[in-house]
Amino acid sequence: MKVVTYLSDENKELERTKEENTGYIRMKKFKFIMLLFCVIFLTAGITTAAFALGDKKAVNVNNRPEFDKLYQAYDDIKANYYQNVKSQTLIDGAINGMVESLNDPFSDYMTKSEASQFHDTISSSFEGIGAEVQEKDGYIVVIAPIKGSPAEKAGLKPNDKILAVNGKNIQGMSANQAILLIRGKKGTKVTLTIQRAGAKDQSKLTITRDTIPVQTVYPEMLKNGVAKIQITTFSDGTYKELQKAIDQMKKKGMKSLIIDVRQNPGGLLDQAIKIANLFVPEGKTILQVEDRNGKIQKYVAEDGTKIKVPTVVLIDGGSASASEILAGALHESAGIPLVGVKSYGKGTVQTAIDFKDGSNLKYTVQKWLTPNGEWIHKKGIQPQYKVNLPDYANLPVIDANTTLKRSSVSSAVKAAEQMLKALGYHPGKVDGYFDAQTEEAVKAFQADEKLKVTGVLKGDTTNKLIAKVSELITKNDTQLKKAESVVKKEK
């Protein structure tokens, strides 16, 4: 049996392996990419050194009376069930039941076949739709889409519930099971049934899988020497990417800095610690970890290069895990303001065990705390300056494969009317009814975008409409504008 301590459920991560009967401990790197394209970033972990694993003592099950009922149930089912049942099926079910009883979305069990399929898909390519999900209250919920991914382009948002995949109901499935259905090869399509947070209506969204961008840092020089650097995830090379980005911005005259971790679902903690170390003064706490007995270990900033220009951090509901560790460290230990809306709230650490038969068990072992000792799990981090995006940034998704035309009535029509209105067109009453005014607004939009003028919303017209609204959100980024204002005051 192999025991693995997770730093993160994303990209390359360090693992501690303990081979039983030898006591041999070794360190290695391995890829564990869990997005909806093949990657899902659900765990913010801690460096392996924090979790030295003691020797595992063999359990003598013959002297464990608490297992008597389990053995009796197993024997009775094997002997009397009306169909033959494989022993492994019952064993997998028993372990899965124990994990489910924890009621922890970050603890999971994969059977040999599930683990094999999962790892085969992971190691093959960076392809899929590009979003992070988790199981929450029986639903598969989006934490964040990846920048530039098909999921982002299609309009998938944090807190969207995925109810079905290609018509298959996935309620009650684990995140791993859902991911195996959602991801796939580049060029193939997957249809998701989506319910937006706070909405009653459902909508279908067909997404074409693609290669997911591997770049994680995006620098941009704004006005008056204000540099904005977006970090989309904490991957193996993110720290080095950030160093290069900072050097680029310095050459362009950087006088102040905005770190944007909105929609960043987390990743490798060692990268978050290295980045935090650029801003947190030596000796100050970056984060703390606490075990089940209340024992706390602190991680403090070390000496080294420090970024001393005025800085602000942007966060939102898609900022999770390692993003929250970075935001908490910079705010509490370096006095850096946070702008945006409340972060996601992921404050636990997981360990995984790979069994000899190829199955895998992952479960929560610790929680992490901010420098001030706050546990932000399920609460998130509140920004110092709360700023919402415009209402049209949270509109329901529209499936480009659905035909919306004269006399159509649906929530998708209402969303289209709201989009058209936000772009300056006049669709008439925003009520979900595709009337003559809506048709004329669509025609005007098609003419302006040099599309075939039909008055029908489908395919290229729908995709272009979504793209233009996305551009409008970027142009009217109220959170970024507030961050620019705040960082100027910090000088």
Side-chain angles (χ1 to χ4, degrees):
M1 180 175 69
K2 185 173 72 174
V3 181
V4 180
T5 298
Y6 275 65
L7 301 179
S8 153
D9 286 349
E10 189 266 350
N11 288 350
K12 294 182 179 178
E13 53 192 355
L14 296 176
E15 68 174 21
R16 165 157 293 196
T17 313
K18 175 178 175 294
E19 301 294 347
E20 290 186 341
N21 302 320
T22 67
Y24 173 65
I25 297 178
R26 57 195 172 90
M27 299 288 288
K28 69 178 183 179
K29 289 186 178 181
F30 77 112
K31 287 185 181 276
F32 195 75
I33 301 181
M34 258 174 110
L35 291 170
L36 286 185
F37 73 151
C38 303
V39 180
I40 179 171
F41 314 93
L42 292 183
T43 307
I46 311 299
T47 56
T48 320
F51 309 123
L53 299 173
D55 290 339
K56 295 285 185 178
K57 294 182 179 180
V59 177
N60 186 351
V61 294
N62 294 324
N63 296 325
R64 300 290 296 273
E66 61 265 37
F67 285 103
D68 289 349
K69 185 165 64 173
L70 178 64
Y71 295 147
Q72 182 180 343
Y74 173 86
D75 290 340
D76 285 349
I77 291 174
K78 285 289 291 182
N80 303 316
Y81 190 65
Y82 83 105
Q83 291 179 334
N84 288 327
V85 183
K86 292 181 179 180
S87 297
Q88 192 61 51
T89 299
L90 295 177
I91 294 170
D92 287 336
I95 298 173
N96 193 57
M98 283 192 288
V99 175
E100 288 186 354
S101 73
L102 300 175
N103 194 30
D104 178 5
F106 304 106
S107 295
D108 193 29
Y109 173 70
M110 285 190 286
T111 65
K112 177 181 178 180
S113 59
E114 290 173 340
S116 176
Q117 184 182 358
F118 181 77
H119 288 297
D120 285 346
T121 307
I122 287 171
S123 60
S124 61
S125 65
F126 289 68
E127 296 178 354
I129 70 168
E132 181 198 4
V133 299
Q134 78 159 60
E135 185 277 327
K136 184 177 182 181
D137 300 327
Y139 291 96
I140 300 301
V141 181
V142 176
I143 293 181
I146 302 301
K147 181 179 176 65
S149 68
E152 184 192 50
K153 293 175 182 176
L156 209 61
K157 300 286 186 182
N159 297 314
D160 282 348
K161 290 180 180 177
I162 303 177
L163 306 178
V165 180
N166 291 330
K168 181 179 178 64
N169 190 331
I170 63 171
Q171 188 172 353
M173 284 189 180
S174 69
N176 289 340
Q177 292 171 323
I179 291 164
L180 292 174
L181 292 176
I182 295 169
R183 63 189 173 198
K185 294 182 179 180
K186 175 180 178 179
T188 60
K189 294 183 178 181
V190 60
T191 299
L192 308 179
T193 302
I194 303 295
Q195 185 176 43
R196 187 128 290 171
K200 295 181 179 180
D201 296 328
Q202 302 175 9
S203 57
K204 291 185 177 181
L205 185 63
T206 300
I207 304 176
T208 301
R209 301 177 178 104
D210 202 349
T211 301
I212 305 305
V214 294
Q215 182 180 349
T216 63
V217 176
Y218 296 81
E220 177 185 0
M221 182 58 73
L222 306 177
K223 297 179 181 179
N224 302 316
V226 179
K228 179 177 83 85
I229 298 180
Q230 182 180 13
I231 305 173
T232 59
T233 186
F234 293 88
S235 188
D236 192 50
T238 300
Y239 175 66
K240 290 183 179 179
E241 283 187 54
L242 180 64
Q243 286 181 311
K244 291 180 180 178
I246 290 174
D247 287 341
Q248 291 175 13
M249 295 297 97
K250 284 181 177 178
K251 291 178 181 178
K252 292 185 178 181
M254 179 178 71
K255 297 178 181 177
S256 55
L257 175 63
I258 297 172
I259 298 291
D260 187 354
V261 291
R262 292 177 297 176
Q263 305 292 292
N264 182 328
L268 295 178
L269 182 75
D270 71 317
Q271 299 294 300
I273 289 177
K274 287 180 179 179
I275 292 171
N277 202 72
L278 292 172
F279 300 89
V280 176
E282 181 184 2
K284 292 274 191 174
T285 302
I286 291 177
L287 82 155
Q288 306 179 59
V289 292
E290 181 179 348
D291 65 17
R292 64 190 293 176
N293 298 316
K295 183 180 179 181
I296 292 178
Q297 181 175 359
K298 292 184 178 181
Y299 288 79
V300 299
E302 300 174 350
D303 190 15
T305 302
K306 303 292 180 180
I307 306 301
K308 297 182 179 180
V309 299
T311 303
V312 168
V313 177
L314 277 169
I315 61 172
D316 68 2
S319 304
S321 193
S323 294
E324 294 172 297
I325 290 173
L326 178 65
L330 268 57
H331 180 56
E332 294 183 6
S333 291
I336 292 175
L338 306 180
V339 176
V341 294
K342 184 179 71 172
S343 65
Y344 180 79
K346 166 66 173 66
T348 56
V349 181
Q350 282 68 42
T351 285
I353 299 173
D354 289 333
F355 295 107
K356 289 181 179 179
D357 68 350
S359 57
N360 177 279
L361 173 64
K362 180 182 71 175
Y363 58 97
T364 300
V365 291
Q366 290 183 312
K367 57 185 181 183
W368 67 264
L369 314 173
T370 67
N372 291 345
E374 293 293 324
W375 192 38
I376 57 87
H377 195 60
K378 296 184 178 180
K379 297 186 296 184
I381 296 175
Q382 293 285 357
Q384 185 176 348
Y385 299 91
K386 184 177 180 180
V387 183
N388 292 310
L389 289 174
D391 290 340
Y392 51 78
N394 299 305
L395 291 175
V397 294
I398 304 176
D399 188 355
N401 291 327
T402 300
T403 300
L404 303 179
K405 59 183 181 179
R406 186 79 170 265
S407 298
S408 294
V409 180
S410 68
S411 59
V413 172
K414 185 174 181 178
E417 291 171 328
Q418 290 172 301
M419 290 181 186
L420 288 165
K421 186 174 181 179
L423 292 171
Y425 295 92
H426 305 286
K429 187 176 181 180
V430 179
D431 55 4
Y433 176 62
F434 202 118
D435 58 15
Q437 282 183 279
T438 309
E439 185 179 65
E440 289 304 312
V442 171
K443 286 182 177 179
F445 175 76
Q446 290 172 325
D448 288 344
E449 297 302 322
K450 297 179 172 53
L451 298 168
K452 185 176 180 180
V453 179
T454 63
V456 175
L457 196 60
K458 184 181 180 181
D460 290 342
T461 300
T462 301
N463 288 330
K464 178 61 74 171
L465 181 62
I466 293 171
K468 295 301 291 186
V469 172
S470 180
E471 290 176 13
L472 184 64
I473 295 170
T474 300
K475 182 179 179 180
N476 296 328
D477 190 339
T478 50
Q479 294 170 341
L480 177 59
K481 290 179 179 178
K482 181 62 176 180
E484 289 183 80
S485 173
V486 172
V487 81
K488 290 176 182 177
K489 295 177 182 179
E490 292 294 308
K491 292 182 179 181

